[in-house]
Amino acid sequence: MQQHHGRFDRRHTDDLLSFLAASPTPYHAVANAAERLEKAGFRAVSERDAWDGATGGRYVVRGGALIAWYVPEGATPATPFRIVGAHTDSPNLRVKPQPDTGAHGWRQLAVEIYGGTLLNTWLDRDLGLAGRLALRDGGSRLVNVDRPLLRVPQLAIHLDRGVNDGLKLDRQRHMTPVWGLGEAQEGDLLEFLAEETGLDRSDITGWDLMLHSVEAPAYLGRDRELIAAPRMDNLLSVHAGAAALTAAAESSPPYIPVLAAFDHEENGSQSDTGAEGPLLGNVLERSVFARGGGYEDRARAYAGTVCLSSDTGHAVHPNYSERHDPTHHPKPNGGPILKVNVNQRYATDAGGRAVFTAACERAGVPWQTFVSNNAVPCGTTIGPITAARHGIATVDIGVAMLSMHSARELAGAEDPHLLAATLAAFLES
């Protein structure tokens, strides 16, 4: 592992915290990333329109997913891609289609549990409500009620004396948030949404809404060397990827740099906006064809393509070190991690390690390795999915953190910048 001697510039991390606060849902994250790309000269293209082979930056938005790419001068139909893969979704509580409920004089909202949520971290937090509304005219509207609105109240210890010996939460009965007093009435939420957005109730025909903690992202610790924030898994990588892509666009890269930010990673990636769907493949193929290429050019381009699948990983936990591999202890601010699993829960192999370490060396960034304890099941990412679906060489990397899948996660304050520098070196090389 290299040693990093550069002075920590907090501007990237400051910007990350602002990005996290403004992105309570995948739809907001995509909108905010698109806005940053627009400022860097990228332009949106519609999947319904014919694409041309012009050089420059382009991006496609579909729901909670975004694919962006930059075609440099001199690119041919067979020019390979360099892809940064990430995901926009995080485990949380999501509003059911018939949301208005309650009991014993409390008004509540019915929610589903999305992804592998650490349920206890959602208790006794001030929660907001955000997402997108489907409109009768076929359009949609983003909504973000970013103030204390809801709360999942925990049972007092007086009524559960054994709670500190083991908290057990029933996902159906115990996770329903309260948001007022009185008898629940059908249409309560719809009326509230209409008031918040200025829309007529009849204009709103559906929603994808989710809860979020309204506590602001923040630096933490005696020396402010840590950051505490929601949704770092995996908006930290989306933010770093967008920064790296815009930097690569200014460097005349020999490859076509790409940012692929997918939705639904936390529940398996099987959707039209997930990594197992056709979105990335469609965009890459259409880019080849728009530059006058055919099947042979596409095959040649894919054969030279590499993807860095960037997702958060586990730092060694000081209170549970036995859960980690005894010889692999990633630490905060130690630089990005290379994630390895021989059973293909991660897609990294020796060749991928060489690509990653070369990018770290060019960026002057330290790096670490993560391997799971053999007795603890290993998680997975979009990496193996991307490799298998598209036949693209893929390497799994990320940032080491604690409290993954919590409503509020913990990471090193320097690591986001180190990751972005590594991704930029990878895309520019």
Side-chain angles (χ1 to χ4, degrees), residues 345-374:
R345 300 294 285 173
Y346 303 131
T348 304
D349 61 10
R353 176 190 174 104
V355 171
F356 169 72
T357 56
C360 291
E361 289 170 358
R362 283 191 294 272
V365 166
W367 58 275
Q368 310 176 84
T369 305
F370 172 82
V371 179
S372 286
N373 184 311
N374 285 330

Coordinates of all heavy atoms in Angstrom, one line a residue, residues 345-374:
R345 N -18.6 -13.0 -5.4 CA -19.5 -11.9 -4.8 C -18.9 -10.6 -5.2 O -19.7 -9.6 -5.2 CB -19.5 -12.1 -3.3 CG -20.1 -13.4 -2.8 CD -21.5 -13.6 -3.2 NE -22.4 -12.9 -2.3 CZ -23.7 -12.7 -2.5 NH1 -24.3 -13.3 -3.6 NH2 -24.4 -12.0 -1.7
Y346 N -17.6 -10.5 -5.4 CA -17.0 -9.3 -6.0 C -16.3 -9.8 -7.3 O -15.9 -11.0 -7.4 CB -16.0 -8.7 -5.1 CG -16.5 -8.2 -3.8 CD1 -15.9 -8.6 -2.6 CD2 -17.7 -7.5 -3.7 CE1 -16.4 -8.1 -1.4 CE2 -18.2 -7.1 -2.5 CZ -17.5 -7.4 -1.3 OH -18.0 -7.0 -0.1
A347 N -16.2 -9.0 -8.3 CA -15.7 -9.4 -9.6 C -14.2 -9.3 -9.8 O -13.6 -9.6 -10.8 CB -16.4 -8.6 -10.7
T348 N -13.5 -8.8 -8.7 CA -12.1 -8.5 -8.8 C -11.3 -9.8 -9.1 O -11.5 -10.8 -8.5 CB -11.6 -7.9 -7.5 OG1 -12.3 -6.7 -7.3 CG2 -10.1 -7.5 -7.6
D349 N -10.3 -9.7 -10.0 CA -9.3 -10.7 -10.2 C -7.9 -10.0 -10.2 O -7.8 -8.8 -10.0 CB -9.5 -11.6 -11.4 CG -9.5 -10.8 -12.7 OD1 -9.1 -9.6 -12.7 OD2 -9.9 -11.3 -13.8
A350 N -6.8 -10.8 -10.5 CA -5.5 -10.3 -10.5 C -5.3 -9.2 -11.5 O -4.7 -8.1 -11.3 CB -4.5 -11.4 -10.7
G351 N -5.9 -9.3 -12.7 CA -5.8 -8.3 -13.7 C -6.5 -7.0 -13.3 O -6.0 -5.9 -13.5
G352 N -7.7 -7.2 -12.6 CA -8.4 -6.0 -12.1 C -7.6 -5.3 -11.0 O -7.6 -4.1 -11.0
R353 N -6.9 -6.1 -10.2 CA -6.1 -5.5 -9.2 C -5.0 -4.6 -9.8 O -4.7 -3.5 -9.3 CB -5.4 -6.6 -8.3 CG -4.4 -6.0 -7.3 CD -3.7 -7.2 -6.6 NE -2.6 -6.7 -5.7 CZ -2.7 -6.7 -4.4 NH1 -3.8 -7.2 -3.8 NH2 -1.7 -6.3 -3.7
A354 N -4.4 -5.0 -10.9 CA -3.4 -4.3 -11.6 C -3.9 -2.9 -12.1 O -3.3 -1.9 -12.0 CB -2.8 -5.1 -12.7
V355 N -5.1 -3.0 -12.7 CA -5.8 -1.7 -13.2 C -6.0 -0.8 -12.0 O -5.7 0.4 -12.1 CB -7.1 -2.1 -13.9 CG1 -7.9 -0.8 -14.2 CG2 -6.8 -2.9 -15.2
F356 N -6.6 -1.3 -10.9 CA -6.9 -0.4 -9.8 C -5.6 0.2 -9.2 O -5.5 1.4 -8.9 CB -7.6 -1.2 -8.7 CG -7.8 -0.6 -7.4 CD1 -8.7 0.5 -7.3 CD2 -7.1 -1.0 -6.3 CE1 -8.8 1.1 -6.0 CE2 -7.2 -0.4 -5.1 CZ -8.1 0.7 -4.9
T357 N -4.6 -0.7 -8.9 CA -3.4 -0.1 -8.3 C -2.7 0.8 -9.2 O -2.1 1.8 -8.7 CB -2.4 -1.3 -7.9 OG1 -2.1 -2.1 -9.1 CG2 -3.1 -2.2 -6.8
A358 N -2.7 0.6 -10.5 CA -2.1 1.6 -11.4 C -2.8 3.0 -11.3 O -2.2 4.0 -11.3 CB -2.2 1.1 -12.8
A359 N -4.1 3.0 -11.2 CA -4.9 4.2 -11.0 C -4.5 4.9 -9.7 O -4.3 6.1 -9.7 CB -6.4 4.0 -11.1
C360 N -4.4 4.1 -8.6 CA -4.0 4.7 -7.4 C -2.6 5.3 -7.4 O -2.3 6.4 -6.9 CB -4.0 3.6 -6.3 SG -5.7 3.1 -5.8
E361 N -1.7 4.6 -8.1 CA -0.3 5.1 -8.2 C -0.3 6.4 -9.0 O 0.4 7.4 -8.7 CB 0.6 4.1 -8.9 CG 0.8 2.9 -8.0 CD 1.5 1.7 -8.7 OE1 1.7 1.9 -9.9 OE2 1.8 0.7 -8.0
R362 N -1.1 6.5 -10.1 CA -1.1 7.7 -10.9 C -1.7 8.9 -10.1 O -1.3 10.0 -10.3 CB -1.9 7.5 -12.2 CG -1.2 6.7 -13.3 CD -1.9 6.8 -14.6 NE -3.2 6.1 -14.5 CZ -3.4 4.8 -14.8 NH1 -2.3 4.1 -15.1 NH2 -4.5 4.2 -14.7
A363 N -2.6 8.6 -9.3 CA -3.3 9.6 -8.4 C -2.5 9.9 -7.2 O -2.8 10.9 -6.5 CB -4.7 9.2 -8.1
G364 N -1.5 9.2 -6.9 CA -0.7 9.3 -5.6 C -1.6 9.1 -4.4 O -1.5 9.7 -3.4
V365 N -2.4 8.0 -4.5 CA -3.4 7.7 -3.4 C -3.1 6.4 -2.8 O -2.8 5.4 -3.5 CB -4.8 7.7 -4.1 CG1 -5.8 7.1 -3.1 CG2 -5.3 9.1 -4.4
P366 N -3.2 6.3 -1.5 CA -3.0 5.0 -0.8 C -4.2 4.1 -1.1 O -5.3 4.6 -1.4 CB -2.9 5.3 0.7 CG -3.7 6.5 0.8 CD -3.5 7.3 -0.5
W367 N -4.0 2.8 -0.9 CA -5.2 1.9 -1.1 C -5.0 0.7 -0.1 O -4.0 0.5 0.5 CB -5.2 1.4 -2.5 CG -4.0 0.6 -3.0 CD1 -2.8 1.2 -3.5 CD2 -3.7 -0.8 -3.0 NE1 -1.9 0.2 -3.8 CE2 -2.4 -1.0 -3.5 CE3 -4.5 -1.9 -2.6 CZ2 -1.9 -2.3 -3.6 CZ3 -4.0 -3.2 -2.7 CH2 -2.7 -3.3 -3.2
Q368 N -6.2 0.0 0.1 CA -6.3 -1.1 1.0 C -7.0 -2.3 0.3 O -7.6 -2.1 -0.7 CB -7.1 -0.6 2.2 CG -6.6 0.7 2.9 CD -7.4 1.1 4.0 OE1 -7.2 0.7 5.1 NE2 -8.3 2.0 3.7
T369 N -7.0 -3.4 1.0 CA -7.7 -4.6 0.5 C -8.7 -5.0 1.5 O -8.5 -5.1 2.7 CB -6.8 -5.7 0.2 OG1 -5.7 -5.3 -0.7 CG2 -7.5 -6.9 -0.4
F370 N -9.9 -5.4 1.0 CA -11.0 -6.0 1.9 C -11.3 -7.4 1.4 O -11.5 -7.7 0.3 CB -12.3 -5.2 1.8 CG -13.4 -5.8 2.5 CD1 -13.6 -5.7 3.9 CD2 -14.3 -6.6 1.8 CE1 -14.6 -6.3 4.5 CE2 -15.4 -7.3 2.5 CZ -15.5 -7.1 3.8
V371 N -11.3 -8.3 2.4 CA -11.7 -9.7 2.2 C -12.6 -10.1 3.4 O -12.2 -9.7 4.6 CB -10.5 -10.7 2.1 CG1 -11.0 -12.1 2.0 CG2 -9.6 -10.3 1.0
S372 N -13.7 -10.7 3.2 CA -14.5 -11.1 4.3 C -13.9 -12.2 5.2 O -13.2 -13.1 4.7 CB -15.9 -11.6 3.8 OG -16.7 -10.6 3.3
N373 N -14.3 -12.2 6.5 CA -14.0 -13.4 7.3 C -14.7 -14.6 6.7 O -15.9 -14.5 6.3 CB -14.6 -13.0 8.7 CG -14.2 -14.1 9.8 OD1 -14.5 -15.3 9.5 ND2 -13.7 -13.6 10.9
N374 N -14.0 -15.7 6.7 CA -14.6 -16.9 6.1 C -15.8 -17.4 6.8 O -16.6 -18.1 6.1 CB -13.5 -18.0 6.1 CG -12.4 -17.9 5.1 OD1 -12.7 -17.3 4.0 ND2 -11.3 -18.4 5.4

